[in-house]
Amino acid sequence: MTLRKKQDSIREYDSICRTTCCNCPTGCGVKVFLKDNAIVDIYGDEEHPINKGAFCPKGLLSYYHLKNPKRIVHPQIRENLNDQFKTVSWDKAIDFTARKIQDISEKRGKDSIFIHGDECAPFGYLAGGSLFAKDFGTSNTPSRFLPYPFGNQGRIKEMFGVPGSQLLMNSPRDWCSSRCILLYGCDLAASDPITFGPIVDAHDRGTTLLTISSKKTITSSKATLGLRVKPGSESAILKGILNILIQKGLVDEDFLEESTIDFDSLKSKVEHFTPETVAKSCWVKKDDLEQMADLIGSVKPVQVIAGDWATRPYLSDEDLFMCGALVCLRGSVGVPGGGLNLLNVSPFSWEAWPTDNDNSSQAKEDVPPNFFLENILLDSPGRVGAMIWHGNPCTGTAEGKKTKAALKEIPFIVHLSSYPDETYNYSHVSFPMSSWLEYSGLVANNNGRAIQWHNRMVDPPGECKSPFAFWSDLAYACNMGEHFPWNGETGIVDERRAMDSFLKENPLTRAASVEKLDPEKNPPGGLLWPCTEEADLEFEESRYLIGRQGNVRGKNILFEKQENHPSGNERFPTLSGKIGLSGHAGQEYTDNEMDSQDQKSVRESYLSEHDIKFPLILTTGVLVDFVEGFGYFVTDRDSWTADMMVQINPRIAKVVGIENRETITIENARGTVSAPAWINEDMDPRVIFCPEGIDPFQPHMGYESPLSLFEEPVGNSEKKSSTMVTIYKAGQDKARSRKDLARFLRNL
Amino acid sequence: MRVLFVSKNFEQRKEIDSHEHDPEEFVMLIDVDRCISCGACQLACEIEHGGAIGMPGSFRPIDVQGKDKDAESPLVYLPLACRHCESPCDYYSPYNFWTTCPKGKKQEKKFISCDSCIDRTREGMWPACATRCSMKTIYFGTFHDIAFTLGEKGLREMGDVDITG
């Protein structure tokens, strides 16, 4: 008997419904098996072009989230933080919130109302929040919290004419055509496992897979060559590689001549990044660096993938520019298998979200267009009158002690979430949110440049509602109902109509509609944007079988020769029609830039006799089972990972006398974090790693987030990806431990 | 049922191709090169056999196996399947398929042996872990089918077969 891989349940069910997973930006198709309006089983949709039946554990866990006893299912309010929360009806909580924010805005001005946003928030939250902010009159919209280098002011916009938040040239269905894939600073196996699938498929077929990151990861373990570099020096590595490519003449002269300007400026910018200097200051072997450049230079097309949801805030303008330059040097733009592919892209321009292209309200402000939560809390105390946010942003703040003290000073905080997490504990109102299986909505942020639709499968428990319903209800309670004209006869917002109007008014999706996206009525996979005319809704021709249709609607490859991007009228939508390789004029790069100040001090300390205070570099990132909020319901991993968190090299562990799973304390001037140690060969002895996305209130993995030890980020830049710390075994003499560490590192 | 771990780095073809096996015997093929230790197989097992998270009946441990000492060597990630060895495992440990627990510690919890999802295989379907694997790491079938799959993988490495398009 031949068995088949079949995404089918053996449990009793009466219907199978199709929807789209919203747990991460991969956007997998899902088959939900229902019996008497309850979910009995979930499988990946084998007809979906992205996941082809695969489904990662994050998606599977949605099944457990629905009926989790720890989930908040009723709105709660309190007058101040010392009171206990009181359960109230949804309407009462909405009235309470509306009254409060109106009072505060009368006393402190409308700009004291902040609506927080991050790239992982559902579209309904970001769109509804932006619309509400605009109509309410506050300039502090969710888009201002999103990473600057990906927006309209970033260098990527200058190079390619579209902001980084929209730049995914070749969709994942095309990645198998690539001959060389460089994963820059992202650990896709941990953050978006299904997006990693096509990359491993390509690698299986002989595509060179390269990774550059500050830590050895599961992703880098699959690579042909993975460089583990000093945290924070990734862009210096790229410059070194560009320099080698230029010196060895491994560049596509024709492409540079035809499609770019200012190549000489780039050349002079990278020429002092010689293999020797880069290898030394980035902690890599010179041979490995040269080998990586040779691997990139020996094949074509080459593509660079960067900027997944987890690492995006840590990428600088410079990083993105260098990634773009690398793709251009290899002439891999607009060809199958090439492209600069930034993940988690959205067709909705951040600065103008959702539909209004008039930025005047922001332009008038004398504050920068983008900022970090920490900047608002620490640099201008008392500025925030009320804060509305989704998810658990408090736990990821740098300068933990100070920011959390500042949070307590905010007069009014509204929290939209599902679990009593750290942010909930700073809030005055908590609104329970529906899971993606419990409401219908648009999936706009995506790793595949697709827009999709997810359908309501089951009724939400208690009074849970969708984020967009929250904004609509709040607008009505603030007497601004005319701006949310999508309420049906029953007074409940019709999200289909609302999302339809957002799609129609958005320049890159005007041909799309919810009707055309619904996976119940259309082939799964959604639509690839830009979709500006009817023809874009058709299947693309198969790249393998001439005359046959492909498996997805829309265009797999953007920026093809002689073709315009819809937002411009040149081949590349830049003003000159060419890709600018100069970056911003007036910025010079020196060797010193390879080292941020405190990392430089470490480099010296390894040689000097001085005993320095914080000799180790702490880095952070996500692990697949440490993703935000999962600590509230992932309990099965107790025996495997719950007591293994802070990854340290065995040699360092020996120096500070720590065993696996013993509590280790990480300390610097900003505070301490204590968590179990995980002794791990992956780590460089000078670096330790602790996953982010954890908070002290979680029942599982409940520890302070390592981000609280980080330095406050500077507005209009990237978040710091590392910080200097010292470690010691909990309860032991830290002065001695520090001395031993210093002695060890000096001899390294 | 047999469990075979395959990788580009080690030769398994001979065992598969040899005619000593019953071609109809079930084999679980694990492509070590693709596993990312995500844990989908573990959850699949729980959903299939229990439905309640953390239920002791579930037992597909995933362990990260690093090569000793050499920090530069690549890590190997493995879904450790029950191998139905002759001395069934009594130990609750990541190494539950070993005859003796390497930590020498006997635990209270006992694990149910893998039944290769007999309810699914009777219906002609792969077991839950193989079906739900997020990276197409786990294959399931008879020796005959597996030999075919391995052949296809070999072709894929040469770039002849497209599996994403």
Side-chain angles (χ1 to χ4, degrees):
Chain A
M1 176 174 66
T2 299
L3 302 181
R4 286 177 54 216
K5 183 176 188 173
K6 209 171 162 193
Q7 272 69 14
D8 197 357
S9 178
I10 52 161
R11 294 180 185 156
E12 253 182 62
Y13 59 86
D14 42 44
S15 61
I16 305 177
C17 291
R18 288 196 146 86
T19 187
T20 310
C21 177
C22 307
N23 267 340
C24 82
T26 300
C28 296
V30 185
K31 280 195 327 195
V32 179
F33 296 79
L34 294 159
K35 187 170 194 290
D36 304 329
N37 293 324
I39 297 176
V40 293
D41 222 336
I42 297 183
Y43 273 92
D45 184 352
E46 68 275 23
E47 289 173 33
H48 196 279
I50 287 172
N51 58 324
K52 298 188 167 91
F55 201 32
C56 83
K58 286 184 290 171
L60 278 177
L61 281 167
S62 310
Y63 183 68
Y64 295 110
H65 166 61
L66 298 182
K67 289 188 174 159
N68 193 301
K70 295 187 199 99
R71 186 172 164 188
I72 303 171
V73 294
H74 293 285
Q76 297 173 338
I77 60 172
R78 60 180 169 186
E79 282 291 339
N80 64 62
L81 294 186
N82 299 324
D83 298 345
Q84 288 289 313
F85 268 118
K86 199 167 67 187
T87 300
V88 293
S89 70
W90 179 276
D91 292 340
K92 196 164 176 208
I94 287 281
D95 287 340
F96 179 73
T97 307
R99 203 184 66 233
K100 278 276 190 185
I101 61 171
Q102 280 169 328
D103 282 355
I104 290 167
S105 70
E106 268 167 34
K107 280 185 207 140
R108 298 172 161 234
K110 288 189 163 168
D111 272 345
S112 69
I113 311 296
F114 282 74
I115 297 168
H116 185 263
D118 67 51
E119 311 104 296
C120 305
F123 177 78
Y125 173 81
L126 293 170
S130 307
L131 194 58
F132 181 86
K134 192 179 124 226
D135 299 328
F136 190 82
T138 173
S139 63
N140 301 312
T141 64
S143 64
R144 298 184 71 180
F145 290 91
L146 302 172
Y148 166 84
F150 288 83
N152 265 333
Q153 294 88 354
R155 234 180 285 181
I156 281 292
K157 168 84 189 224
E158 208 172 287
M159 274 178 104
F160 296 103
V162 294
S165 62
Q166 297 181 346
L167 192 74
L168 191 145
M169 295 180 183
N170 295 30
S171 88
R173 282 154 296 272
D174 173 68
W175 294 353
C176 60
S177 320
S178 186
R179 298 289 310 282
C180 176
I181 299 176
L182 171 64
L183 290 173
Y184 182 76
C186 52
D187 183 7
L188 286 182
S191 62
D192 313 58
I194 305 293
T195 305
F196 193 45
I199 298 171
V200 175
D201 286 351
H203 183 50
D204 249 6
R205 308 174 64 223
T207 301
T208 310
L209 177 60
L210 306 171
T211 62
I212 297 175
S213 69
S214 63
K215 181 180 171 284
K216 194 178 272 183
T217 58
I218 304 179
T219 308
S220 67
S221 76
K222 303 292 169 211
T224 316
L225 177 64
L227 291 186
R228 183 180 69 186
V229 306
K230 186 170 86 172
S233 70
E234 290 90 338
S235 82
I237 288 275
L238 271 187
K239 286 174 205 160
I241 290 172
L242 290 180
N243 188 29
I244 298 172
L245 290 176
I246 294 169
Q247 299 304 329
K248 290 194 177 173
L250 299 170
V251 296
D252 186 330
E253 303 276 355
D254 296 341
F255 182 84
L256 290 174
E257 180 67 28
E258 189 191 350
S259 307
T260 67
I261 47 172
D262 293 331
F263 171 59
D264 288 337
S265 146
L266 176 74
K267 199 171 162 182
S268 64
K269 202 175 287 173
V270 298
E271 73 189 353
H272 52 261
F273 285 81
T274 60
E276 292 79 16
T277 23
V278 172
K280 197 176 155 210
S281 64
C282 301
W283 299 355
V284 295
K285 288 182 193 144
K286 184 178 158 237
D287 291 350
D288 286 348
L289 186 68
E290 284 181 335
Q291 194 194 347
M292 185 169 275
D294 288 342
L295 285 169
I296 293 171
S298 61
V299 290
K300 210 175 137 182
V302 169
Q303 66 168 306
V304 180
I305 297 174
D308 67 79
W309 63 268
T311 56
R312 203 169 237 229
Y314 304 115
L315 291 179
S316 66
D317 224 12
E318 182 79 2
D319 287 325
L320 298 184
F321 172 72
M322 289 298 159
C323 289
L326 179 65
V327 176
C328 293
L329 287 196
R330 296 298 302 143
S332 301
V333 176
V335 292
L340 172 59
N341 300 317
L342 303 179
L343 302 175
N344 198 10
V345 288
S346 163
F348 295 88
S349 175
W350 290 349
E351 281 76 4
W353 215 326
T355 52
D356 185 4
N357 286 315
D358 172 22
N359 289 349
S360 54
S361 67
Q362 285 178 19
K364 270 183 253 159
E365 286 259 328
D366 52 358
V367 289
N370 290 61
F371 39 58
F372 290 102
L373 180 58
E374 292 89 339
N375 301 153
I376 299 163
L377 295 174
L378 301 179
D379 302 348
S380 34
R383 187 170 159 198
V384 187
M387 178 74 89
I388 304 178
W389 49 35
H390 183 278
N392 191 8
C394 291
T395 202
T397 49
E399 297 277 6
K401 264 190 201 159
K402 286 192 206 161
T403 46
K404 280 160 198 174
L407 280 169
K408 287 187 182 155
E409 302 302 315
I410 298 179
F412 189 63
I413 295 183
V414 182
H415 181 218
L416 277 62
S417 183
S418 299
Y419 291 99
D421 52 25
E422 191 168 20
T423 306
Y424 168 90
N425 283 283
Y426 292 109
S427 304
H428 298 84
V429 188
S430 158
F431 284 96
M433 289 291 107
S434 297
S435 142
W436 54 271
L437 289 158
E438 295 161 351
Y439 75 98
S440 300
L442 195 64
V443 190
N445 270 36
N446 194 283
N447 286 347
R449 196 164 26 83
I451 35 168
Q452 302 190 73
W453 184 256
H454 67 97
N455 277 315
R456 176 179 173 139
M457 294 286 124
V458 285
D459 296 333
E463 282 202 271
C464 293
K465 284 197 185 187
S466 76
F468 193 76
F470 163 80
W471 289 117
S472 176
D473 290 353
L474 188 63
Y476 277 90
C478 294
N479 299 319
M480 294 165 12
E482 72 276 13
H483 301 294
F484 282 79
W486 303 288
N487 272 12
E489 282 166 14
T490 50
I492 295 166
V493 65
D494 181 347
E495 296 203 26
R496 278 184 173 252
R497 268 176 56 215
M499 298 306 152
D500 245 345
S501 74
F502 287 137
L503 286 170
K504 291 258 151 26
E505 287 171 39
N506 186 49
L508 293 181
T509 56
R510 55 177 185 260
S513 65
V514 173
E515 192 63 22
K516 297 274 182 203
L517 294 177
D518 191 340
E520 282 287 324
K521 298 174 186 161
N522 296 282
L527 276 169
L528 297 191
W529 53 270
C531 39
T532 53
E533 44 205 83
E534 282 297 311
D536 293 333
L537 305 179
E538 299 298 319
F539 280 92
E540 196 181 51
E541 192 176 292
S542 167
R543 283 158 299 134
Y544 302 101
L545 301 166
I546 295 157
R548 299 273 198 88
Q549 68 178 32
N551 62 0
V552 72
R553 293 174 293 163
K555 255 175 93 63
N556 270 309
I557 302 161
L558 289 187
F559 299 106
E560 279 186 270
K561 244 182 186 173
Q562 314 305 335
E563 280 201 33
N564 299 339
H565 188 275
S567 63
N569 47 14
E570 293 278 355
R571 181 188 151 196
F572 297 103
T574 50
L575 285 177
S576 61
K578 294 200 173 195
I579 304 169
L581 290 181
S582 66
H584 287 312
Q587 283 203 8
E588 286 304 318
Y589 306 98
T590 61
D591 285 325
N592 291 342
E593 231 189 54
M594 288 183 212
D595 289 313
S596 74
Q597 201 50 43
D598 50 7
Q599 284 178 16
K600 195 176 169 198
S601 71
V602 166
R603 194 147 67 91
E604 285 162 1
S605 81
Y606 294 141
L607 309 169
S608 78
E609 286 297 308
H610 292 287
D611 182 356
I612 60 159
K613 248 180 155 181
F614 304 118
L616 296 171
I617 303 179
L618 168 69
T619 62
T620 185
V622 301
L623 294 183
V624 71
D625 39 7
F626 283 73
V627 176
E628 197 171 293
F630 277 52
Y632 291 92
F633 60 100
V634 182
T635 54
D636 70 313
R637 303 292 177 88
D638 276 342
S639 51
W640 311 115
T641 51
D643 41 6
M644 293 165 85
M645 290 220 11
V646 183
Q647 299 187 29
I648 56 170
N649 185 282
R651 291 162 73 192
I652 283 287
K654 211 173 156 193
V655 170
V656 294
I658 200 144
E659 298 274 334
N660 235 349
R661 301 173 188 228
E662 282 182 343
T663 305
I664 188 171
T665 302
I666 313 171
E667 184 180 303
N668 68 9
R670 297 174 199 100
T672 57
V673 168
S674 292
W678 176 0
I679 298 172
N680 193 323
E681 297 272 357
D682 282 3
M683 301 306 301
D684 185 287
R686 293 160 286 193
V687 182
I688 58 174
F689 174 89
C690 184
E692 59 178 270
I694 46 173
D695 84 55
F697 295 87
Q698 294 182 171
H700 172 65
M701 303 181 292
Y703 305 102
E704 186 68 41
S705 167
L707 288 167
S708 65
L709 303 181
F710 280 55
E711 195 184 327
E712 183 189 347
V714 184
N716 283 1
S717 68
E718 72 284 4
K719 265 177 151 177
K720 301 272 187 299
S721 61
S722 61
T723 189
M724 306 307 300
V725 294
T726 184
I727 53 169
Y728 52 91
K729 188 172 168 178
Q732 299 254 329
D733 181 8
K734 55 181 165 183
R736 210 183 119 193
S737 167
R738 186 180 284 160
K739 233 185 217 163
D740 292 343
L741 274 177
R743 192 181 315 128
F744 170 77
L745 292 169
R746 264 200 303 275
N747 296 332
L748 204 65
Chain B
M1 187 186 79
R2 267 163 206 273
V3 183
L4 284 178
F5 292 91
V6 298
S7 163
K8 279 176 207 159
N9 300 321
F10 48 83
E11 196 60 47
Q12 279 285 351
R13 293 296 308 251
K14 278 180 206 141
E15 195 182 340
I16 300 280
D17 289 342
S18 72
H19 298 288
E20 291 163 20
H21 304 288
D22 172 7
E24 295 301 309
E25 187 189 344
F26 282 140
V27 183
M28 182 171 280
L29 183 76
I30 293 171
D31 183 347
V32 175
D33 298 336
R34 292 185 68 97
C35 179
I36 57 167
S37 189
C38 72
C41 50
Q42 210 174 5
L43 272 172
C45 195
E46 291 186 3
I47 292 179
E48 200 63 27
H49 296 292
I53 198 155
M55 198 182 144
S58 62
F59 60 92
R60 179 171 285 279
I62 313 272
D63 195 24
V64 180
Q65 307 268 305
K67 280 188 194 166
D68 286 339
K69 307 291 173 218
D70 182 7
E72 297 302 314
S73 66
L75 282 177
V76 180
Y77 296 88
L78 290 177
L80 296 180
C82 169
R83 293 195 196 177
H84 295 273
C85 57
E86 297 200 343
S87 320
C89 181
D90 281 343
Y91 301 99
Y92 173 65
S93 92
Y95 310 93
N96 81 335
F97 60 87
W98 300 123
T99 326
T100 47
C101 171
K103 290 180 182 167
K105 214 161 56 179
K106 193 167 179 174
Q107 304 268 345
E108 289 298 307
K109 257 185 204 170
K110 282 196 181 183
F111 278 72
I112 303 162
S113 182
C114 169
D115 64 356
S116 60
C117 287
I118 191 148
D119 294 340
R120 289 183 66 84
T121 45
R122 270 196 202 127
E123 302 279 321
M125 295 187 279
W126 281 13
C129 56
T131 310
R132 291 192 192 265
C133 173
S134 65
M135 295 301 288
K136 289 173 271 175
T137 298
I138 308 174
Y139 293 78
F140 191 81
T142 59
F143 259 104
H144 179 83
D145 300 333
I146 291 300
F148 178 81
T149 306
L150 268 185
E152 186 205 16
K153 278 180 160 307
L155 283 174
R156 209 196 298 147
E157 278 160 35
M158 291 186 282
D160 287 341
V161 177
D162 167 55
I163 60 164
T164 47

